[in-house]
Structures are given as structure tokens and as C-alpha cells.
Amino acid sequence: MNAEFNIELYKLIADWNPMKFEDASMGDQEVYDCMDIIHQTDDRDETVKRIQHVYHFSFDQYIPAEEIHLLLDRVATLNMQCKL
């Protein structure tokens, strides 16, 4: 993963904005936490659980696994595009 990927990954997760904040920057710490999880966790189900934990811990909200799987599909596509 390269710098271009990291920039685009940040944008992707920030735009995802699962808490539907008017000011998406209110979830910046969670975006960075998710980026860290995506970089460090190879197992997809574990990645989903860890991302769910981030939002549950911060906002006491449960993000459905299906929603996170869709995000991770977009991350995988982004990763392939940035490798080109």
C-alpha cells in the first residue's frame, strides 16, 4: 500500500460516514482507527469486528457487518487501482 492509497482510503472512509454526521470531520479519529485496522488485519471477518468495535466504543452504535463488508469491497477495489 502506498501514499496514494492512504489518501484515497481516508477519503473513502470519511465519505462512508456511517454516523451520518453533517460535519464528517467529527468522525476523523474513527477514520484513522479504521485505516489502521485495514492496514494491520488480514482476516476480513476480524476486520469487520474491529471496525464495529470502533464505532460501538465511540458512539454506542452498531454498524451492520454487511455495511462494513461493502466498504471493504470498495477498499479492495481501491487497493487494486492504486497498485496500477
Side-chain angles (χ1 to χ4, degrees):
M1 295 183 201
N2 58 36
E4 178 188 3
F5 174 78
N6 283 327
I7 293 166
E8 295 303 319
L9 179 61
Y10 173 85
K11 291 177 187 177
L12 177 67
I13 298 171
D15 289 345
W16 177 49
N17 188 11
M19 297 292 98
K20 310 297 185 228
F21 292 126
E22 283 187 38
D23 178 2
S25 69
M26 289 185 66
D28 266 358
Q29 182 59 52
E30 290 71 27
V31 170
Y32 291 120
D33 290 344
C34 289
M35 289 176 69
D36 188 46
I37 290 166
I38 288 167
H39 281 297
Q40 293 187 14
T41 310
D42 291 329
D43 181 74
R44 189 175 180 115
D45 290 330
E46 181 66 22
T47 301
V48 169
K49 289 176 187 173
R50 290 182 64 192
I51 291 173
Q52 283 176 323
H53 177 75
V54 165
Y55 286 94
H56 186 263
F57 179 80
S58 295
F59 305 110
D60 200 27
Q61 296 289 321
Y62 178 79
I63 307 297
E66 299 80 23
E67 189 175 333
I68 298 170
H69 277 289
L70 290 173
L71 172 69
L72 294 177
D73 289 343
R74 294 174 64 198
V75 169
T77 300
L78 177 64
N79 190 31
M80 294 302 290
Q81 292 170 345
C82 289
K83 285 183 177 180
L84 299 177

